[in-house]
Amino acid sequence: MTPTAKRMPVWPLYLGVLVVYPLLVYPERALAGLTEISVGRQLTYIFIYAILALGLNVVVGYTGLLHLGIAAFFGIGAYITGILTVSAYPFQTGFLVALVASTIGAAVFGMLLGAPTLRLRGDYVAIVTLGFGEVTRFTLRNLEEITAGTRGLNPVPPPQLPGFVETPLSWLGIGADWSLDYRLFYYLALGVLVAVIWLLANVERSRLGRAWVAIREDELAATCMGINAARVKLSAFAIGCGLAGLAGCLYATTLTSTAGPDAFDFNRSMIMLCCVILGGLGSIRGTLLGVFLLVGFDNVVAPVLDGLIQAAQINTSGNRFLTFSNWKLMIFGLALVLMVRFRPEGLLPSAQIEAELGHERKSHRPAEAPA
Amino acid sequence: MTSFPLLVAQAESAEFWQTFLQYALIGLTNGALFALIALGYTMVYGIIELINFAHGEVFMLGAFLALTLVLHVMKLDEATPVGLWVGIGLLLLIVPLFCAVINVSIDWLVYKPLRQAPKLAPLVSAIGVSFVLMNVGLLWGGAADVHFPDFVSRHNLLGEDAALSFTYKDLMVVLITVPIMIALTLFVQTTRMGKAMRATAQDPVAAQLMGIHVDRVIGVTFALGGALAGAAAVIYSLYINTVSYQMGFTNGLYAFTAAVLGGIGNIPGAVLGGLVIGLARSFGSGYVGERWTSALVFVILIAILVFRPSGLLGARTREKV
Amino acid sequence: MSLLDLDKVTVRFGGLTAVDQLDCSVDERQIFSVIGPNGAGKTTVFNAITGIYHPSGGSIAFDGRPLRRPLTWRLIALAAVVGVCTGVAAGLLAIDVNALWRATIKRNYLGPDAPFSYRAAWRDAAGYVRGDLALAPVRGGRWAVRTADDRRTLGYGDARQEAEQLRDRQQQLVDAAAGAQVVAQDDRWQLVADDGQRVLETFDNEADAQATRAQYTAIAAAPVARRRDALIAALLGLVIGSAGTWAVWHRARRSPEVISRAGIARTFQNIRLFQDMTVLDNVLTAMDRHLSGSVVQMALRTPAMRRREAEARAHAGKLLEFVGLAHRETALAKNLPYGDQRRLEIARALATEPKLILLDEPAAGMNPTESSQLNGLIERIRQRGLTVMLIEHHMKVVMGISDRIAVLDYGVKIAEGTPDEVRANPAVIEAYLGSEEVH
Amino acid sequence: MPPLLAVEDLHAGYGPIEVLHGISLEVRPGEIVALIGANGAGKTSTLLVISGCLPVRQGRIALEGEPIERLAAHEIVRRGICQSPEGRKIFPRLSVLENLQMGAFTRRDRAGIQHDLDHAFELFPILAERRGQAGGTLSGGEQQMLAVARALMGKPKLLLLDEPSLGLAPMVAMKIFEAIRKLNQEGMSILLVEQAARMALMLAERGYVMETGRITMSDRAETLLGDERVQDAYLGE
């Protein structure tokens, strides 16, 4: 075995960079010449998508249930937040209540979806979750009076800061006005993300985390060991979808709008699935890396390249072949295909597997040996 | 007094049955289309247990090829009826061939190296391929819906003022899909290759031991599935008259649902599932509301799967321990 | 006394009978072996005992009672809750939740400055279901009188009070329209309520009067139809939801998990470890039901939780030591040699703290040294107070340690007894070496 | 005369686990060879490797002197090795007739196929009665007969039989063994894998005993039948 345990952990370094980054003025300015995109602002969204992907990872990565409709729960979270906070409705509960309600609401919907899929084979779970995702999207669009149809609910108000938080922030030069300074959302999302990672890492090492993986590895053997597969799967659905709802709440708050129902379509689910698979199923670090690569590519690199193409005046006629965004799906698709072909375990497979294998390639599971 | 409600009921029922029949007719026509696409899903699943997510996209590319052929190569128009029908006949040859070639190439390039891999791997690859093809469609036809020339008349065959409507378009769908399904059934039931396909689906190892070239059989299955999707693409374009790069996803989803509903891997099941989905959609839009049809379809799917986890005609599998 | 009783257990697959009318009883602290040629149905017996297959006939009792998930009040409550939830959801959709929202929330909420009365919202919700006419604010500070579903506007009032009067008048019309009659009176036509006294409205011509009557009748009928649809949808939802819950439960009634919790553990013929988990985690997973703690405790990793985990680890370590795998705790299960994997399966089965352990060919794939060690292991398992049921082909293992042996051949028990009895039984020899008379 | 089938130092396995550690055996034209051994010894794997369903890791397999270890399964059938696999593996939703036709998949001679079909029905008259019935609805013994008949339809030079008596009542097993003897008398070479060791050895001319992936004994069948160690392996005496 490699002496991984003795190596200094590197995550504090990454976290430190992410904490310090918004306090430095220079990087954003340097980029400002190249593009209109604020990397800091986009990082906020990346943190939010990371929470979403971690939720998906619970269902797909740990438990091995192919969930193709995670975006629906992201949407449910966003819309619950919207309904509870926008000024067009009388509730206006404020951020914290909305956060809790979105998480619990999405978790409840997750269990409702999970229940009928309990006894289904893998592929059937895929179609049912996919169908549920689409139904949610249509429902959000159809309940026009409640969800404002395709327009989405807005404006979602920013959270209220308690005074004792506001003071140190102003010392750091961060204004307390959410609409002017992205950094408040940035730290909010980062904080929630770190908390989620910590909680998930704890669950992963607990009884429940082991039961999830056991179900993935061999459901029949797991039930023969007294694991209640139904309850374990439902808990995975509840926690995964709940995290998606939490991410949805942050998303709506950061965007100050729930966006339209089409922001929560199949493509969003698939991109999240790509992140999890690219990074390594069942691995928190892998999922984070996947999100940074793919969402970063989608939200930062692609628009920057499009901007550059425009700036260079290559594509003055609006030719669709010369717009970089029009090639995005192709790149995602190829990444998936090549990944599965040449590195099926993902970029950062779960720590356990890596520790065990060193850098050896993971071989396929043996076919069932005949008796 | 007693006769009054009865009278009302009868008056209502004449009208009721008329609309009911109309919806049923629309449902069956649409269902036949879904069934055609669903067959591709089900055949591939039956033989290698893979949900070929890219199937819907193959269908979409077929529609774009049909559009390009009609607009830029054959330059068909309604002014020359003979040319038009010959052209459509040609479309029904070229497009299925094209789709078959795409489908087989996908199998060879992407799925074949993954035959021994865990089950999730080919499925994820299929999703990736579907993205790539969707992007090809986007670059080919652009992001907006494109109009497909309306060649087939909407003239009602039952007379212009008949209560029921069955148009030339509906007739076309029936005239093309029904023979295709019969031909497919005959092929699978009676020919050497068809039997080899069924044998491979039932037990691939035993099929190998019989000297069946399993990879070739899989190739033929993909080709057939692709060809069916191509035929469906032509009919769909002529019937619906709108083509877009996203049509593969939505129709593929319905078709796939149909395949699962009927019991995936089961050929009659796919046809049955297609018809059920078609009917559910048309009755749904008639009696519940257009907006809720998709939701209704999936609610039906979930309800059926809860009570029959392997679909309507699917066999219950026994776990090997 | 007997721990496990099989009574005429039959398992059929399609047309094939894999196990036929098997009677068998295993006493406590016994080592009971099941032998027989390949395909005799031995593993099928194990699968029937552990709930993987459902016997087509006969019964299996453990500790004197049949192993089944009991029908508890919790299940009935769950089915009811799920049924009510689906019913309410279906009913809401059928009654048009969109319009209901508009009627209750939007109509009563005039902006951040005006207070929102939940009581008014509740009243309006009930009014919507009843189909009462409602007031809705419109532009310019005016009020519109509308039907409950907002499909139709019946009039406007400049001030709220005026609008309320209008609404009340219209409501009377709606309520009385169905029974009302058009009566000619002095060149004019009156709409008279069914009591024949009250004049509801007066018109200049008959057509208007009839049209108004029809219109108001329709307005009155709409909510009735909607309520009926909603009721049907809700009942359907209730039935589907609770029946679905029932169906899911019913299918899982004799699931392996229930059997395991009752105290029967097993290993598998084709090793079924959790391949990508470590050896230690494999054992810990099987201890699942003996570890307590809520999700919140697990997520926060509370000190109590940590203590329990540490205890579990220590216990798992002891079990691994027991089977001789203590040094491989951190290895992945799939990287163990074949014999070790078999022993890990035994440790995992022991971790569920069973009374009865079923070992399905534990010596398969082991070399002679390993299989003789296995004898000792099985003996030590018995010394822990467990009962062992064993399928084995290695006759050295079987004959050396079994208290009783049952011989199966093509699904039928052809002999049972002590090793010596079985060995001397001509039927057994025939089943194993084949009959002498081939010619 | 070269042996019909020659297997030399064969290694194979599943995933990381090797189950055959260097098997060598041969079958000469016109003889029945029995391969016996306990469960999990690797008998079935050996047959699967010969038929090309399990890849060869190391070693050589030759049919009439020509190497076949790198050929795909369907090519091997074409060269004349047919197998009746363990657990029968008949096609459950094809009719009996179709199952038999599948056995003749590599052949194109209609007349020859028809002749062999008649012959198969002659050998197993019950199959003729059930020709239209789906394979999955047959009883265990009938399925086993179908599996053997199906393998014969390929007109093999070498027939591999994996546990033809598995799960069958002695009377039925007897019928199958009689059919095997008849086939051999007609000149077919047979490699027989069996658990019912005595039956197999009485039928065979030579036998091999396998234990955990290795051949531990090989001799004339009569000699093996009399050998104490063989009895040992079966009844622990």
Side-chain angles (χ1 to χ4, degrees), chain B residues 184-204:
Chain B
L184 180 76
T185 311
L186 287 178
F187 175 82
V188 170
Q189 291 297 331
T190 59
T191 64
R192 199 172 112 91
M193 189 39 105
K195 283 179 190 167
M197 274 171 63
R198 283 192 292 150
T200 310
Q202 288 171 30
D203 196 327

Side-chain angles (χ1 to χ4, degrees), chain C residues 16 37-39 269 334 338 361 365-366 393 395-396 399 410 423 429-430 432-439, chain D residues 17 39 86 138-140 143 163 166-170 174 178 195-199 202 212 234-237:
Chain C
L16 301 177
N38 244 2
Q269 189 178 355
K334 65 176 176 194
Y338 211 64
E361 299 204 20
M366 283 186 172
H393 283 278
M395 287 303 148
K396 281 207 185 84
M399 296 295 169
Y410 48 97
R423 208 173 321 181
I429 297 172
E430 181 180 328
Y432 261 82
L433 282 182
S435 131
E436 310 258 348
E437 303 86 41
V438 183
H439 305 281
Chain D
I17 302 162
N39 220 18
E86 189 199 21
L138 299 183
S139 77
Q143 287 191 2
E163 307 253 2
L166 189 138
L168 298 184
M174 206 92 77
E178 263 161 40
Q195 284 238 315
R198 175 163 299 163
M199 227 115 109
M202 289 180 77
T212 55
Y234 287 93
L235 278 181
E237 272 301 275

Side-chain angles (χ1 to χ4, degrees), chain B residues 192 195 198 202 208 213, chain D residues 91 93 98 101-102 105:
Chain B
R192 199 172 112 91
K195 283 179 190 167
R198 283 192 292 150
Q202 288 171 30
Q208 276 189 329
H213 192 342
Chain D
F91 303 112
R93 290 185 297 282
E98 282 173 325
Q101 286 170 342
M102 278 297 112
F105 187 78

